[in-house]
Amino acid sequence: MHPLIEVPALDRLLRRQTPVVLLDVRWHLAGPPGIESYRRGHLPGAVFVDLDRDVAGPPGPGGRHPLPGPVVFESAMRRAGVSQDSMVVVYDDADSTSAARVWWSLRYFGHERVRVLDGGYRAWTEAGHRVSTAEPEVKPGDFIANPGRLPVLDAEGAAELARAGVLLDARAAERYRGEQEPVDPVAGHIPGARNAPTSGNVGVDGRFLPPELLRERFAKLGATDALDVGAYCGSGVTAAHEILALNLAGIPAALYVGSWSNWVTDPSNPVATGDD
């Protein structure tokens, strides 16, 4: 299944009353909680999913957004109405940063029928489609979490991939270079990693670039389907966006879920700064 769905295609599905589970996963690293945006207006029938509570485990040595346990994720998706055969469409404000983490998580836990609304809530409203403030009554789903369906990296695997393959750092360039670090206690990047900010995966409208442009972008960084590729960020959220962009480009890639927030918990892990 193609990982993206455009607004007109989703609108057609909903008008035909095709069963679709809509997940609103608006989330802001710095700003009001996503639930406030959801309550002001969301796609009709959409259920709010809390990225911190439902799509990540408690922060700690594993990072700020480690993988949730299978039971936790399974319960969250069931509460949202996800069943084994559900068509799921996930969206956020616009650029798919948090939606991509839910897309990746559902795929990792064995659910294939999931797509990201390209352009998110902004694209939906700009197209003139109606929104709702009503919270729907949800029939609990029967989703069963079956982890391990997508490749993941730990710190050791990320270090090896930076030496022997291609490890992409999805954070902004100034964080990669160690010039500023607004969240984690140590600034810099994993030695050998190559900087590929996720902002370069989308246009000004928040929609993903065409696959051929994404392939060109990643090829310039040495990432092709002929090599082992992985991605990390600060805590494994924007890196999932990188995994989705790589998927669109036809390049399989592994996610370092713990990312930089896990890497810096071990003082023996080396840290690089500047342009690698």
Side-chain angles (χ1 to χ4, degrees):
M1 176 169 288
H2 194 280
L4 300 182
I5 187 169
E6 300 291 337
V7 165
L10 177 59
D11 182 53
R12 286 194 297 271
L13 289 177
L14 297 179
R15 287 179 183 275
R16 294 171 187 162
Q17 297 187 327
T18 303
V20 177
V21 177
L22 292 172
L23 301 182
D24 183 313
V25 66
R26 281 178 281 180
W27 172 81
H28 313 103
L29 180 60
I35 186 64
E36 294 182 9
S37 298
Y38 173 81
R39 288 169 176 160
R40 286 194 298 268
H42 50 264
L43 272 64
V47 179
F48 181 72
V49 171
D50 189 303
L51 187 142
D52 293 313
R53 180 193 66 205
D54 300 329
V55 196
R64 281 183 282 111
H65 289 104
L67 272 172
V71 173
V72 171
F73 187 75
E74 179 178 287
S75 297
M77 293 301 102
R78 287 186 174 194
R79 287 195 305 271
V82 179
S83 290
Q84 289 294 89
D85 59 351
S86 294
M87 163 72 78
V88 181
V89 174
V90 189
Y91 71 88
D92 56 26
D93 280 319
D95 65 3
S96 302
T97 296
S98 50
R101 173 64 184 250
V102 180
W103 167 84
W104 183 90
S105 299
L106 279 164
R107 293 283 314 281
Y108 173 83
F109 283 106
H111 194 80
E112 295 287 338
R113 302 189 70 209
V114 55
R115 306 175 80 174
V116 170
L117 179 60
D118 201 16
Y121 183 77
R122 187 171 75 189
W124 180 263
T125 56
E126 288 179 348
H129 298 303
R130 73 181 184 92
V131 298
S132 173
T133 57
E135 297 191 23
E137 293 185 12
V138 180
K139 178 183 177 182
D142 62 11
F143 171 68
I144 297 173
N146 187 6
R149 298 306 181 93
L150 289 180
V152 295
L153 297 168
D154 57 12
E156 183 179 358
E160 176 59 27
L161 193 58
R163 291 189 294 267
V166 177
L167 181 65
L168 299 178
D169 185 318
R171 298 173 301 163
E174 58 271 19
R175 291 183 70 188
Y176 169 83
R177 292 192 296 263
E179 296 167 356
Q180 63 173 253
E181 180 45 67
V183 186
D184 293 305
V186 179
H189 61 267
I190 297 173
R194 308 174 192 187
N195 191 212
T198 52
S199 57
N201 295 330
V202 297
V204 294
D205 58 359
R207 292 179 174 88
F208 279 93
L209 299 179
E212 60 272 16
L213 293 184
L214 290 171
R215 280 193 293 272
E216 180 180 333
R217 179 187 192 221
F218 291 126
K220 289 178 180 177
L221 293 161
T224 71
D225 60 1
L227 296 171
D228 290 332
V229 178
Y232 76 98
C233 57
S235 67
V237 176
T238 53
H241 187 281
E242 197 95 297
I243 299 294
L244 176 51
L246 286 158
N247 181 290
L248 294 170
I251 304 170
L255 176 64
Y256 178 14
V257 183
S259 284
W260 187 247
S261 58
N262 165 248
W263 182 267
V264 297
T265 61
D266 185 347
S268 69
N269 284 333
V271 171
T273 56
D275 290 314
D276 217 354

